[in-house]
Amino acid sequence: MTDIDTQFREMADRAFQSLPQQFREAASEVVIRIADWPEGETLQHFGIRSAFGLLGLYHGVALPFKTTLDSPQNADMVTLYRIPIIAYARETGEALEDVVRHVLIHELGHHFGFSDADMAVIEAADA
């Protein structure tokens, strides 16, 4: 792992730790993965032409759609795409750590079935 990879992972960890405790506890089973780029199949599935067009992705079944009768499948996972996130931060002038936090909150929100308004409230909350 390079220094850049380690720094990005640390930013993601700090972003997660900055979330309200109840939110962190409820999302504790979600795996947070860092990848340099989205996979070609993923881009094609969502109709995204540029690999820079996807900053993060939630993989799994949102909690509102899970039941106790469901058999365990793959772990719920959030993937943060490092190079597109860095490029977005540079392009917009936003702090990289703020972009990482925003993308993480948005993708974790999909796990909970939250609306964009719900995610905005969580993002604005103090740790």
Side-chain angles (χ1 to χ4, degrees), residues 3-35:
D3 286 343
I4 293 170
D5 294 332
T6 301
Q7 290 171 1
F8 197 89
R9 165 53 67 191
E10 289 171 354
M11 276 187 249
D13 291 343
R14 281 192 302 273
F16 186 80
Q17 291 304 316
S18 75
L19 300 174
Q21 182 178 353
Q22 286 181 306
F23 190 69
R24 287 192 319 266
E25 288 173 3
S28 65
E29 298 298 317
V30 177
V31 175
I32 300 172
R33 175 179 167 253
I34 310 295

Side-chain angles (χ1 to χ4, degrees), residues 72-89:
Q73 300 293 319
N74 296 328
D76 290 319
M77 182 179 347
V78 165
T79 303
L80 302 176
Y81 297 114
R82 188 176 63 81
I83 294 172
I85 288 174
I86 292 169
Y88 178 86

Side-chain angles (χ1 to χ4, degrees), residues 33-46:
R33 175 179 167 253
I34 310 295
D36 283 343
W37 295 100
E39 299 79 14
E41 295 169 358
T42 301
L43 295 172
Q44 186 176 13
H45 175 78
F46 290 104

